[in-house]
Coordinates of all heavy atoms in Angstrom, one line a residue:
D1 N 96.4 95.3 120.2 CA 97.7 94.7 120.5 C 98.6 94.6 119.3 O 99.6 93.9 119.4 CB 97.4 93.3 121.2 CG 96.7 93.4 122.5 OD1 96.9 94.5 123.1 OD2 96.1 92.4 122.8
A2 N 98.2 95.3 118.2 CA 99.1 95.3 117.0 C 100.3 96.0 117.3 O 100.3 97.1 117.8 CB 98.3 95.8 115.9
R3 N 101.4 95.5 116.9 CA 102.8 96.2 116.9 C 103.2 96.6 115.5 O 102.9 95.9 114.5 CB 103.8 95.2 117.6 CG 103.3 94.8 119.0 CD 104.4 94.7 119.9 NE 103.9 94.4 121.1 CZ 104.1 95.1 122.2 NH1 104.7 96.1 122.3 NH2 103.6 94.8 123.4
S4 N 104.0 97.8 115.5 CA 104.6 98.1 114.2 C 106.1 98.3 114.5 O 106.6 98.3 115.6 CB 104.0 99.5 113.7 OG 104.3 100.5 114.7
S5 N 106.7 98.4 113.3 CA 108.3 98.5 113.4 C 108.7 99.7 114.2 O 109.9 99.8 114.6 CB 108.9 98.4 112.1 OG 108.4 99.3 111.3
D6 N 108.0 100.9 114.0 CA 108.3 102.2 114.6 C 107.7 102.4 115.9 O 107.9 103.4 116.6 CB 108.2 103.2 113.7 CG 106.7 103.4 113.2 OD1 105.8 102.7 113.8 OD2 106.5 104.4 112.5
G7 N 106.8 101.5 116.4 CA 106.1 101.7 117.6 C 104.7 102.5 117.5 O 104.0 102.6 118.5
Y8 N 104.4 103.0 116.3 CA 103.3 103.7 116.2 C 102.2 103.0 115.5 O 102.5 102.0 114.6 CB 103.5 104.9 115.2 CG 104.3 106.1 116.0 CD1 105.7 106.1 115.6 CD2 103.8 106.9 116.7 CE1 106.4 107.0 116.3 CE2 104.6 107.9 117.4 CZ 105.9 107.9 117.1 OH 106.6 108.9 117.8
T9 N 100.9 103.2 115.8 CA 99.7 102.5 115.2 C 98.8 103.5 114.7 O 98.6 104.6 115.5 CB 99.1 101.4 116.1 OG1 98.7 102.0 117.3 CG2 100.1 100.3 116.4
L10 N 98.1 103.2 113.8 CA 97.0 104.1 113.3 C 95.7 103.7 114.1 O 95.3 102.7 114.3 CB 96.7 104.0 111.9 CG 97.7 104.5 110.8 CD1 97.3 104.3 109.4 CD2 97.9 106.0 111.0
V11 N 94.9 104.8 114.5 CA 93.6 104.5 115.1 C 92.7 105.5 114.4 O 93.1 106.6 114.0 CB 93.7 104.8 116.7 CG1 94.7 103.9 117.4 CG2 94.1 106.3 117.1
R12 N 91.4 105.1 114.5 CA 90.3 106.0 114.0 C 89.9 107.0 115.1 O 89.5 106.7 116.1 CB 89.1 105.2 113.5 CG 88.0 106.2 113.0 CD 86.8 105.4 112.7 NE 87.2 104.4 111.6 CZ 86.3 103.8 110.8 NH1 85.2 104.0 111.0 NH2 86.7 103.1 109.8
A13 N 90.4 108.3 114.8 CA 90.1 109.3 115.7 C 88.7 109.9 115.7 O 88.1 110.2 116.7 CB 91.1 110.5 115.6
H14 N 88.2 110.0 114.3 CA 86.9 110.6 114.1 C 86.3 109.9 113.0 O 86.9 109.4 112.1 CB 87.0 112.0 113.8 CG 87.7 112.9 114.9 ND1 86.9 113.4 115.9 CD2 88.9 113.4 115.0 CE1 87.7 114.0 116.7 NE2 89.0 114.1 116.2
Q15 N 84.9 109.8 113.1 CA 84.1 109.2 112.0 C 83.1 110.2 111.5 O 82.3 110.7 112.3 CB 83.4 108.0 112.4 CG 82.9 107.2 111.3 CD 82.5 105.8 111.6 OE1 83.0 105.3 112.5 NE2 81.7 105.2 110.7
L16 N 83.3 110.7 110.2 CA 82.3 111.6 109.6 C 81.1 111.0 109.0 O 81.3 109.9 108.6 CB 83.1 112.5 108.7 CG 84.3 113.4 109.3 CD1 85.1 113.9 108.2 CD2 83.9 114.2 110.4
E17 N 80.1 111.7 108.9 CA 78.8 111.3 108.1 C 79.3 110.9 106.6 O 80.0 111.7 106.0 CB 77.8 112.4 108.1 CG 76.6 112.1 107.3 CD 75.6 113.4 107.1 OE1 75.8 114.2 107.9 OE2 74.7 113.1 106.5
P18 N 79.0 109.8 106.2 CA 79.4 109.5 104.8 C 78.5 110.0 103.8 O 77.4 110.5 103.8 CB 79.3 107.9 104.8 CG 78.1 107.6 105.8 CD 78.2 108.8 106.7
H19 N 79.2 110.3 102.5 CA 78.4 110.7 101.3 C 77.8 109.5 100.8 O 78.1 108.3 101.1 CB 79.3 111.2 100.3 CG 79.9 112.7 100.5 ND1 79.2 113.8 99.9 CD2 80.9 113.2 101.2 CE1 79.7 114.8 100.3 NE2 80.8 114.6 100.9
R20 N 76.9 109.6 100.0 CA 76.0 108.5 99.3 C 76.9 107.9 98.1 O 76.9 106.7 97.8 CB 74.8 108.9 98.7 CG 73.8 109.1 99.9 CD 72.5 109.5 99.4 NE 72.5 111.0 98.9 CZ 71.6 111.8 98.8 NH1 70.4 111.4 98.6 NH2 71.8 113.0 98.5
K21 N 77.9 108.8 97.6 CA 78.7 108.3 96.5 C 80.2 108.6 96.8 O 80.4 109.3 97.8 CB 78.4 109.1 95.2 CG 76.9 108.9 94.6 CD 76.9 107.4 94.1 CE 75.6 107.2 93.5 NZ 75.5 105.9 92.8
P22 N 81.1 108.1 96.2 CA 82.5 108.4 96.6 C 83.0 109.7 96.5 O 82.5 110.6 95.7 CB 83.3 107.5 95.4 CG 82.4 106.6 95.0 CD 81.0 107.1 94.9
V23 N 83.8 110.1 97.4 CA 84.4 111.5 97.5 C 85.5 111.8 96.5 O 86.3 110.9 96.4 CB 84.8 111.8 99.1 CG1 85.5 113.1 99.1 CG2 83.7 111.8 100.0
V24 N 85.3 112.8 95.8 CA 86.3 113.1 94.7 C 87.1 114.4 95.0 O 88.1 114.7 94.4 CB 85.7 113.1 93.4 CG1 85.0 111.9 93.0 CG2 84.5 114.2 93.2
H25 N 86.6 115.2 96.0 CA 87.3 116.5 96.3 C 87.3 116.6 98.0 O 86.4 116.4 98.6 CB 86.6 117.8 95.8 CG 86.9 117.8 94.4 ND1 88.1 118.3 93.8 CD2 86.1 117.8 93.3 CE1 87.8 118.4 92.4 NE2 86.7 118.1 92.2
I26 N 88.5 117.0 98.4 CA 88.5 117.5 99.9 C 89.3 118.8 99.9 O 90.4 118.9 99.3 CB 89.3 116.5 100.7 CG1 88.6 115.1 100.6 CG2 89.5 116.9 102.1 CD1 89.3 113.9 101.3
A27 N 88.7 119.8 100.7 CA 89.4 121.0 100.8 C 89.4 121.4 102.3 O 88.4 121.3 102.9 CB 88.7 122.1 100.0
A28 N 90.6 121.6 102.8 CA 90.7 121.9 104.4 C 90.8 123.4 104.6 O 91.5 124.1 103.7 CB 92.0 121.1 104.9
S29 N 90.3 123.9 105.6 CA 90.4 125.4 106.1 C 91.9 125.6 106.3 O 92.5 124.6 106.9 CB 89.5 125.5 107.3 OG 89.9 126.9 107.8
Q30 N 92.3 126.8 106.2 CA 93.6 127.2 106.5 C 93.6 127.8 108.0 O 94.8 128.0 108.5 CB 94.2 128.2 105.6 CG 94.3 127.8 104.2 CD 94.8 128.8 103.3 OE1 95.3 129.9 103.7 NE2 94.7 128.6 102.0
R31 N 92.5 128.1 108.5 CA 92.4 128.7 109.9 C 91.6 127.9 111.0 O 91.6 128.3 112.1 CB 92.1 130.0 109.7 CG 90.7 130.2 109.1 CD 90.3 131.7 108.9 NE 90.4 132.5 110.0 CZ 90.3 133.9 110.1 NH1 90.3 134.4 108.9 NH2 90.3 134.7 111.2
S32 N 90.9 127.0 110.5 CA 89.9 126.3 111.6 C 90.0 124.7 111.2 O 90.8 124.3 110.4 CB 88.6 126.7 111.5 OG 87.9 126.5 110.3
K33 N 89.2 124.1 111.9 CA 89.1 122.6 111.7 C 88.1 122.1 110.8 O 87.5 121.1 111.0 CB 89.0 121.9 113.1 CG 90.4 122.1 113.8 CD 90.4 121.5 115.2 CE 91.7 121.8 115.9 NZ 91.9 121.4 117.1
M34 N 87.7 123.1 109.9 CA 86.6 122.8 108.9 C 87.0 122.2 107.7 O 88.3 122.6 107.4 CB 85.7 124.0 108.6 CG 85.0 124.4 109.8 SD 83.6 125.7 109.4 CE 84.4 126.9 108.7
L35 N 86.2 121.5 107.0 CA 86.8 121.0 105.7 C 85.5 120.9 104.8 O 84.3 120.8 105.3 CB 87.5 119.7 105.7 CG 86.8 118.5 106.3 CD1 86.8 117.4 105.4 CD2 87.3 118.2 107.7
L36 N 85.6 120.8 103.4 CA 84.7 120.7 102.5 C 85.0 119.4 101.9 O 86.2 118.9 101.6 CB 84.8 121.7 101.4 CG 84.3 123.0 101.7 CD1 84.6 124.1 100.6 CD2 82.8 123.1 101.9
T37 N 83.8 118.5 101.6 CA 84.1 117.2 100.8 C 83.0 117.4 99.7 O 82.0 117.7 100.0 CB 83.9 116.0 101.7 OG1 82.7 116.1 102.4 CG2 85.0 115.9 102.6
A38 N 83.3 116.8 98.5 CA 82.3 116.8 97.5 C 82.4 115.3 96.9 O 83.4 114.8 96.7 CB 82.6 117.8 96.3
D39 N 81.2 114.8 96.5 CA 81.1 113.4 96.0 C 81.1 113.5 94.5 O 81.0 114.7 93.9 CB 80.0 112.5 96.7 CG 78.6 113.1 96.3 OD1 78.4 113.7 95.3 OD2 77.8 112.5 97.1
E40 N 81.0 112.4 93.8 CA 81.0 112.5 92.4 C 79.7 112.9 91.8 O 79.6 113.2 90.6 CB 81.3 111.1 91.7 CG 80.2 109.9 92.1 CD 80.6 108.5 91.7 OE1 81.8 108.4 91.4 OE2 79.8 107.6 91.8
T41 N 78.6 113.1 92.5 CA 77.4 113.7 92.0 C 77.4 115.3 92.2 O 76.6 115.9 91.6 CB 76.1 113.2 92.8 OG1 76.1 113.8 94.2 CG2 76.0 111.7 92.9
G42 N 78.4 115.8 93.0 CA 78.5 117.2 93.0 C 77.9 117.6 94.3 O 78.1 118.9 94.9
E43 N 77.5 116.8 95.3 CA 77.0 117.2 96.6 C 78.1 117.6 97.5 O 79.2 117.0 97.5 CB 76.2 116.0 97.3 CG 75.6 116.4 98.5 CD 74.6 115.4 99.0 OE1 75.0 114.2 98.9 OE2 73.7 115.8 99.7
I44 N 78.0 118.7 98.2 CA 79.2 119.2 99.0 C 78.7 119.2 100.3 O 77.6 119.7 100.8 CB 79.5 120.8 98.5 CG1 80.0 120.7 97.1 CG2 80.5 121.2 99.6 CD1 80.2 122.2 96.6
F45 N 79.5 118.7 101.4 CA 79.5 118.9 102.7 C 80.4 119.7 103.4 O 81.6 119.6 103.0 CB 79.5 117.5 103.4 CG 78.4 116.5 103.2 CD1 77.5 116.7 102.3 CD2 78.4 115.3 103.9 CE1 76.5 115.6 102.1 CE2 77.5 114.3 103.7 CZ 76.6 114.5 102.7
L46 N 80.0 120.7 104.2 CA 80.9 121.6 105.1 C 80.9 120.8 106.4 O 79.8 120.7 107.0 CB 80.2 122.9 105.1 CG 81.1 123.8 106.0 CD1 82.5 124.1 105.5 CD2 80.4 125.2 106.2
R47 N 82.1 120.5 106.9 CA 82.2 119.6 108.1 C 83.0 120.3 109.0 O 84.0 121.1 108.7 CB 82.9 118.3 107.8 CG 82.0 117.5 106.8 CD 83.0 116.4 106.2 NE 82.3 115.6 105.1 CZ 81.6 114.6 105.3 NH1 81.4 114.1 106.5 NH2 81.1 113.9 104.4
H48 N 82.9 120.0 110.4 CA 83.7 120.3 111.5 C 84.5 119.1 111.8 O 83.8 118.2 112.4 CB 83.1 121.0 112.6 CG 84.0 121.5 113.6 ND1 84.5 121.0 114.6 CD2 84.7 122.8 113.6 CE1 85.4 121.6 115.4 NE2 85.6 122.8 114.8
A49 N 85.7 119.0 111.6 CA 86.4 117.6 111.9 C 86.4 117.2 113.4 O 86.1 116.0 113.6 CB 87.9 117.7 111.4
T50 N 86.8 118.0 114.2 CA 86.9 117.5 115.6 C 85.6 117.1 116.2 O 85.5 116.3 117.1 CB 87.7 118.5 116.5 OG1 87.2 119.7 116.4 CG2 89.2 118.4 116.0
S51 N 84.4 118.1 115.9 CA 83.3 117.7 116.5 C 82.5 116.6 115.8 O 81.4 116.3 116.1 CB 82.4 119.0 116.5 OG 82.0 119.3 115.4
E52 N 83.0 116.2 114.6 CA 82.3 115.2 113.6 C 80.9 115.7 113.1 O 80.2 115.0 112.7 CB 82.2 113.9 114.3 CG 83.6 113.4 114.8 CD 83.4 111.9 115.5 OE1 82.3 111.4 115.6 OE2 84.5 111.5 115.9
Q53 N 80.7 117.0 113.2 CA 79.4 117.5 112.7 C 79.5 117.9 111.3 O 80.4 118.5 110.7 CB 78.9 118.8 113.5 CG 78.6 118.5 114.9 CD 78.3 119.7 115.7 OE1 78.6 120.9 115.3 NE2 77.4 119.6 116.7
T54 N 78.4 117.7 110.4 CA 78.1 118.2 109.2 C 77.4 119.5 109.3 O 76.2 119.5 109.8 CB 77.4 117.1 108.3 OG1 78.1 116.0 108.3 CG2 77.2 117.8 106.8
L55 N 78.0 120.7 109.0 CA 77.3 121.9 109.2 C 76.3 122.3 108.2 O 75.4 122.9 108.5 CB 78.4 122.9 109.4 CG 79.5 122.7 110.5 CD1 80.7 123.7 110.4 CD2 78.9 122.6 111.8
L56 N 76.7 122.1 106.9 CA 75.9 122.4 105.8 C 76.0 121.3 104.6 O 77.1 120.6 104.6 CB 76.2 123.7 105.1 CG 76.0 125.0 106.0 CD1 76.7 126.1 105.3 CD2 74.6 125.2 106.1
K57 N 75.0 121.2 104.0 CA 74.9 120.3 102.8 C 74.5 121.1 101.6 O 73.5 121.7 101.5 CB 74.1 119.1 102.9 CG 74.4 118.2 103.9 CD 73.6 117.0 104.1 CE 74.0 116.0 105.1 NZ 73.1 114.9 105.3
F58 N 75.2 121.1 100.4 CA 74.9 121.7 99.2 C 74.6 120.7 98.2 O 75.4 119.8 97.9 CB 75.9 122.6 98.7 CG 76.4 123.7 99.6 CD1 77.5 123.4 100.4 CD2 75.8 124.8 99.7 CE1 77.9 124.4 101.3 CE2 76.1 125.8 100.5 CZ 77.3 125.7 101.3
K59 N 73.3 120.6 97.7 CA 72.9 119.5 96.8 C 72.7 120.1 95.5 O 71.7 120.9 95.3 CB 71.8 118.7 97.4 CG 71.5 117.5 96.6 CD 70.4 116.7 97.3 CE 70.2 115.3 96.6 NZ 69.2 114.6 97.3
P60 N 73.3 119.7 94.4 CA 73.1 120.4 93.1 C 71.7 119.9 92.5 O 71.2 118.8 92.8 CB 74.2 119.7 92.2 CG 74.7 118.5 92.8 CD 74.4 118.8 94.2
E61 N 71.1 120.7 91.7 CA 69.8 120.4 91.1 C 70.1 119.8 89.7 O 71.1 120.2 89.0 CB 69.0 121.6 91.1 CG 68.5 122.1 92.3 CD 67.7 123.5 92.2 OE1 67.3 123.7 91.1 OE2 67.4 124.0 93.2
G62 N 69.4 118.8 89.3 CA 69.5 118.2 88.0 C 70.7 117.2 88.0 O 71.0 116.4 88.9
A63 N 71.4 117.3 86.9 CA 72.6 116.3 86.5 C 73.8 116.5 87.6 O 73.9 117.6 88.2 CB 73.1 116.6 85.1
A64 N 74.5 115.5 87.7 CA 75.8 115.6 88.5 C 76.6 116.7 87.9 O 76.8 117.0 86.7 CB 76.5 114.3 88.4
I65 N 77.3 117.4 88.9 CA 78.3 118.4 88.8 C 79.7 117.9 89.0 O 80.0 117.3 90.1 CB 78.0 119.6 89.6 CG1 76.5 120.2 89.2 CG2 79.0 120.8 89.4 CD1 76.2 121.3 90.1
K66 N 80.7 118.2 88.2 CA 82.0 118.0 88.4 C 82.8 119.2 88.6 O 82.8 120.1 87.6 CB 82.5 117.1 87.2 CG 81.8 115.8 86.9 CD 82.7 114.9 86.1 CE 81.9 113.6 85.8 NZ 81.4 112.9 87.0
Y67 N 83.5 119.3 89.7 CA 84.1 120.6 90.1 C 85.7 120.5 89.6 O 86.2 119.4 89.8 CB 84.1 120.9 91.6 CG 82.7 120.9 92.1 CD1 82.1 119.9 92.8 CD2 81.9 122.0 91.9 CE1 80.8 120.0 93.4 CE2 80.6 122.1 92.4 CZ 80.0 121.1 93.0 OH 78.8 121.3 93.5
E68 N 86.0 121.8 89.1 CA 87.5 121.9 88.7 C 88.3 122.3 90.0 O 89.3 121.8 90.2 CB 87.7 122.9 87.6 CG 86.9 122.4 86.4 CD 87.8 122.1 85.2 OE1 89.0 122.7 85.3 OE2 87.4 121.3 84.4
T69 N 87.4 123.1 90.9 CA 88.1 123.7 92.0 C 87.0 123.8 93.0 O 85.9 124.1 92.8 CB 88.5 125.3 91.7 OG1 89.5 125.2 90.7 CG2 89.1 125.8 93.0
L70 N 87.5 123.4 94.3 CA 86.6 123.4 95.4 C 87.3 123.9 96.6 O 88.4 123.3 96.8 CB 86.0 122.0 95.8 CG 85.0 122.0 97.0 CD1 83.8 122.8 96.7 CD2 84.8 120.5 97.1
D71 N 87.1 125.0 97.3 CA 87.8 125.5 98.4 C 86.9 126.4 99.3 O 85.9 126.9 98.9 CB 89.0 126.3 97.9 CG 90.3 126.2 98.8 OD1 90.1 125.8 99.8 OD2 91.3 126.6 98.2
L72 N 87.4 126.7 100.5 CA 86.9 127.5 101.5 C 87.6 129.0 101.3 O 88.8 128.9 101.0 CB 87.1 127.0 102.9 CG 86.2 126.0 103.4 CD1 86.8 125.3 104.6 CD2 84.8 126.5 103.7
T73 N 86.9 129.9 101.4 CA 87.4 131.2 101.4 C 88.5 131.4 102.7 O 88.4 130.7 103.6 CB 86.4 132.4 101.3 OG1 85.7 132.4 102.5 CG2 85.6 132.3 100.0
P74 N 89.4 132.5 102.6 CA 90.4 132.5 103.5 C 89.8 132.7 105.0 O 90.4 132.3 106.1 CB 91.3 133.8 103.1 CG 91.1 133.7 101.7 CD 89.7 133.2 101.3
R75 N 88.8 133.4 105.1 CA 88.1 133.7 106.5 C 87.1 132.5 106.8 O 86.3 132.8 107.8 CB 87.5 135.1 106.4 CG 88.6 136.1 106.5 CD 87.9 137.4 106.7 NE 89.0 138.5 106.8 CZ 88.8 139.7 107.0 NH1 87.6 140.1 107.3 NH2 89.8 140.5 107.0
D76 N 87.0 131.5 106.0 CA 86.0 130.4 106.3 C 84.6 130.9 106.2 O 83.7 130.4 106.8 CB 86.2 129.7 107.7 CG 87.6 128.9 107.6 OD1 88.1 128.7 106.5 OD2 87.8 128.5 108.7
N77 N 84.3 132.0 105.5 CA 82.9 132.6 105.4 C 82.3 132.4 104.0 O 81.3 133.0 103.7 CB 82.8 134.0 105.8 CG 83.7 134.9 105.0 OD1 84.3 134.5 104.0 ND2 83.6 136.2 105.3
G78 N 82.9 131.5 103.1 CA 82.3 131.3 101.9 C 83.0 130.1 101.2 O 84.0 129.4 101.6
V79 N 82.3 129.5 100.3 CA 82.7 128.5 99.4 C 83.0 128.7 98.0 O 82.1 129.4 97.5 CB 81.6 127.3 99.5 CG1 82.0 126.1 98.7 CG2 81.6 126.7 101.0
V80 N 84.1 128.4 97.4 CA 84.4 128.6 96.0 C 84.3 127.2 95.3 O 85.0 126.3 95.7 CB 85.8 129.2 95.8 CG1 86.1 129.4 94.3 CG2 85.8 130.5 96.5
A81 N 83.4 127.1 94.4 CA 83.2 125.8 93.6 C 83.1 126.3 92.3 O 82.2 126.9 91.8 CB 81.9 125.2 93.9
I82 N 84.2 125.9 91.4 CA 84.1 126.2 89.9 C 84.0 124.9 89.1 O 84.7 124.1 89.4 CB 85.4 126.9 89.6 CG1 85.5 128.2 90.6 CG2 85.5 127.2 88.1 CD1 86.8 128.9 90.4
T83 N 83.1 125.0 88.2 CA 83.1 123.8 87.2 C 83.6 124.0 86.0 O 84.3 125.2 85.7 CB 81.5 123.5 86.9 OG1 80.9 124.6 86.3 CG2 80.7 123.3 88.3
A84 N 83.8 123.1 85.2 CA 84.5 123.3 83.8 C 83.8 124.4 83.0 O 84.7 125.1 82.3 CB 84.3 121.8 83.1
D85 N 82.5 124.6 83.0 CA 82.1 125.7 82.4 C 81.9 127.1 83.3 O 81.2 128.0 82.8 CB 80.6 125.4 81.8 CG 79.5 125.1 83.0 OD1 80.0 125.0 84.1 OD2 78.3 124.8 82.7
K86 N 82.6 127.0 84.2 CA 82.8 128.2 85.1 C 81.5 128.7 85.8 O 81.2 129.7 86.2 CB 83.4 129.3 84.4 CG 84.6 128.9 83.7 CD 85.8 128.3 84.7 CE 87.0 128.1 83.9 NZ 87.5 126.8 84.2

C-alpha cells in the first residue's frame, strides 16, 4: 500500500542465488537475458535472469582473483575474464 510521488513503486521481480561474498562485477548479455556476476573471491556465476537459474559456476583455485575485465562474448558462447597479470 505504499505510495510514491510519481505513482510507481519498486517490487522484487526476481531473486537470484546469492554469492558467498559481496559481488564486485556484473556483466549483462547484449542479446539474451543472461548475466555474469563475480564476487570478491573471484567466483563467477553465469545466470539467466528471468528463470532465476544459475547455469554455471566458475570457482578459482587457490587465492582470490581480482578481475580487471569480465564480460560475455557477443554470441553468449564464451566468458572473458582478465586479471591484472592478464
Side-chain angles (χ1 to χ4, degrees):
D1 295 333
R3 301 216 180 239
S4 64
S5 60
D6 61 4
Y8 291 98
T9 56
L10 290 175
V11 297
R12 180 179 295 196
H14 298 283
Q15 185 165 347
L16 302 173
E17 176 185 354
H19 278 271
R20 288 179 281 193
K21 297 289 183 175
V23 171
V24 294
H25 287 284
I26 298 174
S29 168
Q30 296 179 14
R31 60 187 298 168
S32 69
K33 294 179 180 176
M34 290 195 308
L35 63 127
L36 290 170
T37 55
D39 67 20
E40 63 185 16
T41 68
E43 187 172 34
I44 298 172
F45 288 8
L46 175 64
R47 306 163 180 273
H48 188 265
T50 55
S51 70
E52 300 178 2
Q53 292 182 338
T54 301
L55 304 172
L56 290 171
K57 293 181 185 180
F58 303 97
K59 190 172 187 178
E61 295 179 11
I65 296 175
K66 299 200 183 303
Y67 301 106
E68 301 247 335
T69 300
L70 179 67
D71 214 344
L72 283 162
T73 57
R75 292 188 179 184
D76 290 345
N77 61 354
V79 172
V80 176
I82 301 175
T83 63
D85 62 355
K86 309 299 183 229

